[in-house]
Amino acid sequence: MTDFTSATDADGIATITWDVPGKSMNVLSLTGMAELDALIDAALADPAVRGVILTSGKKDFAGGMDLNVIAKMKESAGAEPARGLFDGIMRFHGLERKIELAGMDPKTKKGGKPIVAALPGTALGIGLEIPLSCHRIIAADNPTARIGLPEILVGIFPGAGGTTRLVRKLGPMAASPFLLEGKLSDPKKAQAAGIIDEVVAPDQLLARAREWVLGATDADLVKPWDAKGYKMPGGAPYHPAGFMTFVGASAMVMGKTMGVYPAARALLSAVYEGALVPFDTALRIEARWFTHVLMNPSSAAMIRSLFINKEALEKGANRPGVADQTVRRLGVLGAGMMGAGIAHVAASAGIEVVLIDATQEAADRGKAHSEGLLDKGMKRGKVTAAKKAEVLARITATADYAALSGADLVVEAVFEDPRVKAEVTARAEAVLPADAIFATNTSTLPITGLAKASTRPDRFIGIHFFSPVDKMMLVEIIKGVETGDLAVAKALDFVRQIRKTPIVVNDARFFYANRCIIPYINEGIRMVAEGVEPALVENAAKLVGLPLGPLQLVDETSIDLGVKIARATKAAMGDAYPDSAVDQVLFAMADAGRLGRKAHAGFYAYDDKGQRTGLWEGIADHWPVAADQPDLAEVQHRMLFVQALEAVRALEEGVLTDIREGDVGAILGWGFCPWSGGPFSWLDMLGAPRAVEIADRLAAAHGARFAAPRLLREMAERGESFYGRFAPDARAA
Ligand code: NAD
């Protein structure tokens, strides 16, 4: 069984078909590459072959590279992993360059054999880089196919010639959304952008490819960059227009990434330096920068969390082994901000939804939220009128609990008040089928406590969404003490249906995400109380790759919510409550009516439209700025450690049972420095001994909240890492 096969017909057209056995999507492995290389050699050498069609035996062309290839290339070079990577990457370049030059005479550029890529569907990553080296790319008109180079999203960049070829094909400006943002397009849009050359009816794909091969002339085979007098579209760096592009791109990338993503910087360098030299030298430069990125621990951690582990969680890595629990009819209680969002994502995924609120008007308002989102989607050309009608038809808005009678899952999103929640739980269970699962979207109330209102606590579970529901990709599933496997499987199957990423945690105060987010916000507020310049706090957070500074974050989630949570936490913890210094600031802000963005007044000032205009100048009147300011690294360490140590405690206490969930959840749930791969990956990068040293120093200076957890200390003593000790394969070994 091989990944690539070739068959030559009577006209001398060799069709090389990519069809990896036993997989639904083609991915390129090292053996696959060797097979393709040998088949191209054979086709070029065989006088009976006049041209080649490269296509796929599956509905899609290819999903990209098998990311284990990177590890293999590193290992193969023993003590010189960078050498192994560079040599491995240059072998990819060698194969693609062979396809591109196709045996033509180097001087006259004549006598080459036409090679066409025929893409039946999706072509991503190296699945597009190989076609870019072919002489023509023809795609089937398949609107659900995705064409593009998404590497940057997992911390690398297109490093098998895709960067150099796309920039030379489209020009640096036009190529930038595809390279720097990983933008994907359907075939028609990819054609309009100039990435692919032709789109044809799916049943015409191979016929058209044959026709092109049979009609191709020598000139059709010469890539623009191999022809005399080639000029880069839009201008190379020392062309006046090109100069502006390059200066602008640099500023834009630094502005967006704050310089913490090695891949974005390396990509820009490869593009800039590559633009100044001949094509083959540009490929070598691309390979060097790609090696540089692959050697950076950040890219390895990002690939692990954002690609491998995220996918494993989505595929049910922690799902109990019970039968399929696909949701058919969902009940949503409370049609407020969260309930309306949950109803919308479920209906969009094809699930029938009953959306209930206390009054018909409130329920209708919740459904109108969905209509608003669909209208926005239509304006952007992402939603058709038919899709809008379909989604809305799936949502029944009502105040009548009897409508829940056929639901197999209910998600409750009423007010954050245990009494209200208990009341709706009882009302729903009175009409629900006996085997239905009841879930609560509470953000702060323990699940085990809420389950007391249920007559079937084994079927009671937490399904915690993040706001805004339609955008946030994480869903935190929380098991109460009595929650059973069926409920967990139901929650996981529901999350799979709505195409989000689940983590499964045990019940404890604030579960996992809020347990880490709240100390982060509090640390920012605490610094304000200490007289640290608020701008230093906010910028330090952004400069280390956190999406929002803590003061902006609390403005977004609202100061009064912070006050409410503080009061409830204090009541529950009594004398052990550690955050009085934070509360003084929060309560003073609330008393002054500065409730955050919704009040157009918070730690930030806002204009009439609610746009932030800068930090509120009055902060200094309440909490004067100290003469001595901490340095940037100190502020950053405080904000990162207060989160990462909390994540370690969550693991130590058994709230988290899988560090992969801790890392993926932190990135998707609250944007914890994606460049780091998550808090556990970050602590592994620092190494446990250094992490303990920093924690000890912070604890001495700022208090016990920075005390290193016992687990971390033990790991430092034993020289262990989190992934070494807790990764699923490490545990199995
Ligand atoms: P919200 O105030 O916008 O919505 C609550 C809705 O519940 C209102 O429409 C209200 O009319 C309705 N409701 C109240 N009593 C009811 C009853 N007896 N029967 C039916 N409907 C009733 O609140 P929200 O922000 O959507 O939050 C809802 C839940 O989600 C809370 O438990 C909250 O903690 C949790 N949550 C909120 C967020 C967030 O960012 N807002 C995030 C995660 C979880």
Side-chain angles (χ1 to χ4, degrees):
M1 296 280 265
T2 54
D3 292 0
F4 289 89
T5 51
S6 179
T8 305
D9 68 12
D11 291 328
I13 296 182
T15 301
I16 298 180
T17 305
W18 192 357
D19 198 350
V20 179
K23 294 225 167 167
S24 59
M25 176 71 93
N26 290 323
V27 288
L28 193 67
S29 63
L30 285 176
T31 38
M33 186 185 79
E35 285 169 26
L36 177 60
D37 200 23
L39 291 178
I40 294 286
D41 277 342
L44 293 179
D46 184 350
V49 171
R50 125 177 220 192
V52 177
I53 298 171
L54 176 60
T55 190
S56 154
K58 303 194 190 292
K59 85 180 194 345
D60 291 312
F61 184 67
M65 185 154 80
D66 175 352
L67 289 170
N68 294 313
V69 164
I70 295 169
K72 282 194 189 136
M73 292 193 306
K74 271 191 196 171
E75 280 161 21
S76 68
E80 283 193 278
R83 163 63 54 194
L85 284 171
F86 181 76
D87 290 347
I89 296 161
M90 287 311 293
R91 279 198 293 279
F92 279 104
H93 285 316
L95 164 61
E96 289 168 336
R97 201 62 180 129
K98 182 156 53 191
I99 292 174
E100 194 156 57
L101 297 175
M104 66 180 69
D105 180 277
K107 283 227 166 71
T108 63
K109 310 253 187 273
K110 292 199 160 91
K113 294 185 184 183
I115 303 181
V116 56
L119 314 179
T122 290
L124 299 176
I126 197 149
L128 180 60
E129 293 182 289
I130 294 173
L132 282 168
S133 70
C134 295
H135 303 116
R136 193 161 186 84
I137 308 176
I138 305 176
D141 185 7
N142 172 353
T144 60
R146 291 284 162 265
I147 310 279
L149 301 166
E151 285 87 340
I152 198 82
L153 301 176
V154 291
I156 54 178
F157 71 84
T163 296
T164 301
R165 286 195 175 83
L166 204 67
V167 165
R168 274 170 162 72
K169 193 166 179 176
L170 310 186
M173 183 72 115
S176 67
F178 303 102
L179 296 174
L180 280 168
E181 292 162 27
K183 179 177 165 186
L184 305 182
S185 316
D186 63 33
K188 284 241 165 88
K189 291 207 180 99
Q191 183 193 15
I195 298 175
I196 62 177
D197 304 304
E198 243 182 273
V199 179
V200 298
D203 60 356
Q204 294 301 305
L205 181 66
L206 290 181
R208 174 62 194 132
R210 283 175 58 81
E211 186 186 25
W212 187 83
V213 168
L214 292 173
T217 64
D218 281 331
D220 289 333
L221 274 52
V222 182
K223 288 289 177 67
W225 45 90
D226 285 324
K228 256 215 172 94
Y230 166 76
K231 289 216 165 49
M232 185 171 282
Y238 293 124
H239 180 278
F243 179 78
M244 295 313 289
T245 310
F246 279 89
V247 170
S250 222
M252 189 193 85
V253 168
M254 289 305 274
K256 279 197 174 170
T257 66
M258 298 291 167
V260 290
Y261 291 89
R265 293 174 78 158
L267 168 65
L268 270 191
S269 299
V271 170
Y272 176 85
E273 293 166 19
L276 301 172
V277 295
F279 186 76
D280 286 294
T281 316
L283 288 179
R284 287 183 76 77
I285 289 174
E286 186 194 288
R288 284 202 192 288
W289 280 113
F290 194 43
T291 304
H292 174 80
V293 164
L294 294 178
M295 289 301 294
N296 189 310
S298 164
S299 61
M302 281 182 79
I303 290 173
R304 185 174 60 201
S305 289
L306 291 173
F307 189 80
I308 299 170
N309 291 344
K310 177 173 168 291
E311 196 174 281
L313 299 180
E314 285 162 0
K315 286 194 170 156
N318 293 322
R319 186 185 183 283
V322 296
D324 179 51
Q325 296 293 314
T326 298
V327 177
R328 303 198 192 288
R329 196 172 169 84
L330 173 76
V332 178
L333 306 183
M337 185 166 89
M338 298 303 288
I342 296 165
H344 174 73
V345 296
S348 301
I351 302 171
E352 294 293 324
V353 180
V354 177
L355 177 60
I356 294 190
D357 206 298
T359 62
Q360 182 66 43
E361 295 75 56
D364 289 341
R365 267 199 305 278
K367 182 167 174 176
H369 171 75
S370 192
E371 188 165 5
L373 289 175
L374 291 161
D375 284 340
K376 259 194 209 159
M378 279 178 73
K379 266 195 203 134
R380 280 198 238 112
K382 302 234 177 238
V383 175
T384 61
K387 167 90 181 168
K388 175 181 162 185
E390 245 175 63
V391 173
L392 290 177
R394 284 194 200 108
I395 304 179
T396 307
T398 176
D400 180 7
Y401 278 69
L404 288 175
S405 62
D408 48 329
L409 173 68
V410 167
V411 179
E412 164 282 297
V414 299
F415 298 140
E416 188 76 337
D417 176 336
R419 270 168 309 183
V420 181
K421 292 202 187 283
E423 182 208 318
V424 301
T425 306
R427 284 183 72 182
E429 285 188 357
V431 285
L432 280 174
D435 56 354
I437 303 295
F438 189 97
T440 170
N441 180 48
T442 178
S443 29
T444 57
L445 302 168
I447 303 303
T448 309
L450 293 178
K452 295 209 167 84
S454 168
T455 52
R456 36 196 170 180
D458 60 320
R459 292 174 186 274
F460 192 100
I461 193 164
I463 302 185
H464 180 209
F465 284 85
F466 295 78
S467 173
V469 178
D470 57 307
K471 295 226 171 71
M472 297 296 287
M473 294 314 290
L474 184 73
V475 179
E476 191 175 22
I477 295 170
I478 305 118
K479 291 196 277 186
V481 171
E482 292 186 66
T483 302
D485 281 355
L486 264 181
V488 176
K490 188 89 187 175
L492 282 167
D493 290 356
F494 175 49
V495 174
R496 175 178 45 73
Q497 281 174 279
I498 57 174
R499 288 187 214 95
K500 295 196 185 280
T501 309
I503 62 172
V504 182
V505 303
N506 285 312
D507 196 16
R509 177 169 299 282
F510 302 139
F511 320 130
Y512 173 57
N514 282 337
R515 174 185 183 139
C516 299
I517 299 168
I518 293 169
Y520 167 55
I521 291 176
N522 285 353
E523 201 60 26
I525 295 175
R526 212 184 280 271
M527 285 194 254
V528 169
E530 289 169 15
V532 179
E533 199 38 277
L536 175 56
V537 173
E538 294 292 271
N539 289 330
K542 288 201 196 134
L543 284 170
V544 78
L546 289 158
L548 300 183
L551 305 179
Q552 189 185 341
L553 187 53
V554 69
D555 263 14
E556 296 290 334
T557 54
S558 93
I559 309 271
D560 47 329
L561 179 65
V563 166
K564 230 174 129 185
I565 293 176
R567 289 219 166 95
T569 313
K570 197 169 179 164
M573 292 183 78
D575 290 344
Y577 183 70
D579 289 324
S580 302
V582 176
D583 292 357
Q584 281 177 10
V585 179
L586 269 183
F587 292 5
M589 292 291 285
D591 288 347
R594 302 199 68 89
L595 301 182
R597 179 198 279 284
K598 66 179 183 187
H600 295 185
F603 286 103
Y604 281 82
Y606 297 81
D607 64 16
D608 296 344
K609 292 194 189 107
Q611 294 289 329
R612 271 178 297 116
T613 55
L615 280 154
W616 176 44
E617 286 177 358
I619 298 177
D621 298 335
H622 289 260
W623 303 281
V625 173
D628 271 350
Q629 290 293 311
D631 68 36
L632 183 67
E634 171 81 2
V635 177
Q636 290 174 330
H637 274 155
R638 281 179 72 171
M639 288 190 283
L640 291 187
F641 266 80
V642 85
Q643 300 175 64
L645 294 176
E646 207 51 52
V648 176
R649 287 183 202 115
L651 177 68
E652 196 170 40
E653 290 167 19
V655 173
L656 280 176
T657 55
D658 183 337
I659 54 170
R660 299 178 298 178
E661 294 181 315
D663 272 351
V664 173
I667 297 177
L668 299 188
W670 72 96
F672 181 94
C673 308
W675 61 262
S676 71
F680 295 103
S681 293
W682 182 61
L683 290 171
D684 276 356
M685 271 181 218
L686 282 179
R690 176 147 161 67
V692 167
E693 186 190 309
I694 297 173
D696 283 345
R697 195 171 47 69
L698 291 173
H702 303 291
R705 64 190 179 281
F706 290 107
R710 195 184 38 74
L711 171 65
L712 189 64
R713 234 175 249 293
E714 181 187 294
M715 287 172 53
E717 280 156 18
R718 297 193 198 162
E720 287 174 337
S721 67
F722 284 101
Y723 276 85
R725 176 163 164 175
F726 294 108
D729 37 3
R731 280 185 298 192

